[in-house]
Amino acid sequence: MNEENKTMITVIQLLGFQTPQNITFLIFFLFLLLYCLTICGNLLIITLVSYSKTFHSPMYFFLSQLAVADILLATDILPNMLHAFLVENITFISISNCITQLYFFAVSETSECLLLTLMSYDRYLAICKPLHYTMLMNHRFCWKAVITSWTLSFLAVLTYTLNISKLQLCGPNIIDHFFCDLDPILQLSCSNTTRVQLLVTLSTVIFGFIPFFVIIISYVYIIVTIFEIPSITGRQKVFSTCSSHLTVVSILYSTLIFVYLIPSRGKSLNIKKFLSLMYTVVTPMLNPIIYSLRNKDLKNVVKRIINNLLMLHFHNH
């Protein structure tokens, strides 16, 4: 009887951040601000790319898709976190909701890896094969590549989340994290998780490692080509078109590698939670900022919008 009770988990308790009562509201408003900045920044990028002729290039098209992935990721994680701060840091979540959260988290991370790879391929063609660029990186190819990336992300993650949903989960029903990540869910399982772990490893290799190596190889070629440019200003000008992409790739992959690939024995749970915050909350907010600060076209359009809004405001008063 006791054994049967152990397998009947229907609700999982997420412990979250366990913040002191007196600063809970402050942290709540900080995360609410982060969420608002993330949504507004990424929506701004999507809107600019959709409506402004200046941004009808492949690089901006991929950037708008990256913004969609960032909105999906932030919306999957942050509303639950905000709710947890309001109900004294403890969240009860059903197994099905927990697996759904894991699904959309994994989809957005997988699609981000694939989109960043497409962006590095775009930069590689623009810098190393400029004569073939318009022929290879045409409108049709961009749409096909993006649809393929999203479809593969949804299907690949579905293969192992369906297998996770079939696992029997035993007690205790407590996860010391702020969202339903893969490892904590598997630790609750009293079924054999070998199949799930095999599918996850396969998915990580195909959609994590291979894209990462493609990005590295693209940048090796890009750097070699940049060094062949005789003038220093020419080099700087060409490299500036890659700097934002390189920054985003570095932040995302460095935190993912540290959280998932470095053995967790030497890491405290708090460090793991903090690093998880980096790619679930901070990166989606930073991406539009990094691209806007490093990009003259985007900066000019944003300045123009702000100036128009200010003029409208003063005109009305």
Side-chain angles (χ1 to χ4, degrees), residues 27-299:
I27 293 170
F28 169 80
F29 283 114
L30 175 69
F31 280 108
L32 183 64
L33 180 66
L34 285 175
Y35 185 48
C36 292
L37 284 172
T38 304
I39 299 298
C40 293
N42 285 295
L43 278 178
L44 178 67
I45 292 223
I46 294 165
T47 310
L48 290 179
V49 172
S50 304
Y51 294 104
S52 174
K53 282 191 171 68
T54 322
F55 304 115
H56 282 185
S57 71
M59 184 178 78
Y60 292 118
F61 176 60
F62 295 141
L63 180 58
S64 71
Q65 295 301 311
L66 193 70
V68 173
D70 282 334
I71 289 172
L72 177 68
L73 179 58
T75 306
D76 185 44
I77 304 288
L78 272 159
N80 257 356
M81 275 179 71
L82 293 169
H83 178 255
F85 286 124
L86 291 178
V87 291
E88 296 179 0
N89 286 329
I90 293 169
T91 310
F92 289 99
I93 185 168
S94 70
I95 302 266
S96 55
N97 284 351
C98 196
I99 292 168
T100 305
Q101 188 184 44
L102 171 69
Y103 176 73
F104 285 107
F105 158 71
V107 165
S108 52
E109 289 295 358
T110 306
S111 58
E112 257 187 53
C113 292
L114 294 175
L115 290 165
L116 287 169
T117 311
L118 284 173
M119 289 165 95
S120 72
Y121 178 62
D122 171 74
R123 291 298 84 211
Y124 160 75
L125 286 180
I127 293 163
C128 305
K129 310 269 183 204
L131 299 176
H132 302 108
Y133 181 76
T134 45
M135 186 180 71
L136 293 170
M137 196 55 80
N138 55 40
H139 190 69
R140 200 168 165 195
F141 170 80
C142 292
W143 270 107
K144 275 185 180 174
V146 161
I147 290 166
T148 306
S149 295
W150 280 108
T151 309
L152 286 173
S153 301
F154 279 106
L155 292 177
V157 178
L158 192 64
T159 55
Y160 62 81
T161 42
L162 282 176
N163 276 277
I164 291 168
S165 67
K166 290 172 189 168
L167 294 175
Q168 279 197 310
L169 301 181
C170 303
N173 66 335
I174 293 168
I175 289 180
D176 191 4
H177 212 330
F178 60 87
F179 76 103
C180 292
D181 206 352
L182 179 72
D183 283 346
I185 294 175
L186 293 185
Q187 280 165 19
L188 300 181
S189 171
C190 46
S191 320
N192 190 346
T193 60
T194 313
R195 185 184 164 87
V196 174
Q197 285 173 326
L198 198 67
L199 287 167
V200 170
T201 307
L202 192 67
S203 183
T204 308
V205 169
I206 297 169
F207 302 105
F209 284 117
I210 293 173
F212 185 54
F213 285 118
V214 171
I215 292 168
I216 287 172
I217 292 161
S218 302
Y219 272 101
V220 168
Y221 279 107
I222 287 167
I223 288 161
V224 168
T225 309
I226 286 172
F227 276 115
E228 285 170 0
I229 297 168
S231 71
I232 293 171
T233 48
R235 284 180 202 169
Q236 285 173 339
K237 197 177 176 184
V238 172
F239 188 73
S240 69
T241 65
C242 309
S243 55
S244 4
H245 177 256
L246 207 51
T247 309
V248 170
V249 168
S250 306
I251 294 170
L252 178 71
Y253 271 101
S254 58
T255 47
L256 284 177
I257 287 166
F258 199 87
V259 171
Y260 293 107
L261 293 183
I262 293 173
S264 53
R265 267 181 309 178
K267 287 182 289 191
S268 77
L269 272 169
N270 285 338
I271 289 174
K272 204 163 182 178
K273 280 188 204 175
F274 175 73
L275 285 164
S276 300
L277 267 185
M278 279 300 289
Y279 61 83
T280 54
V281 177
V282 179
T283 310
M285 181 205 67
L286 279 181
N287 286 354
I289 295 169
I290 291 166
Y291 274 97
S292 304
L293 291 177
R294 295 285 182 94
N295 189 296
K296 273 191 189 137
D297 294 335
L298 273 171
K299 241 195 284 192

